[in-house]
Amino acid sequence: MRATTYLLITILLMHLITLTNIIIFNGDWNGIVMAINTILFVLAFGLVIPLKHKKVIDD
């Protein structure tokens, strides 16, 4: 998959988790949601940077 696909999937997951927290849990789990979103953000860039580096080498 392309790097942008990984980033878009990550953004979608982050928004769905936040929306679920607001609608279902009335914002009670803000700390857990923030931790999950931070982990997803770091993992997404951990996947994207090697893909970008590989693309530069292949070109």
Side-chain angles (χ1 to χ4, degrees):
M1 278 197 281
R2 293 176 27 188
T4 53
T5 306
Y6 285 117
L7 292 175
L8 287 173
I9 290 171
T10 303
I11 291 170
L12 177 69
L13 283 172
M14 291 169 71
H15 278 80
L16 286 174
I17 290 169
T18 303
L19 186 65
T20 303
N21 180 43
I22 292 169
I23 292 174
I24 295 175
F25 301 112
N26 294 324
D28 291 335
W29 292 12
N30 287 332
I32 295 170
V33 168
M34 184 62 78
I36 292 170
N37 284 344
T38 302
I39 291 168
L40 284 173
F41 180 79
V42 170
L43 288 175
F45 275 100
L47 289 172
V48 168
I49 291 173
L51 289 175
K52 290 284 189 179
H53 183 67
K54 181 181 173 188
K55 184 177 179 182
V56 170
I57 291 174
D58 289 344
D59 290 341

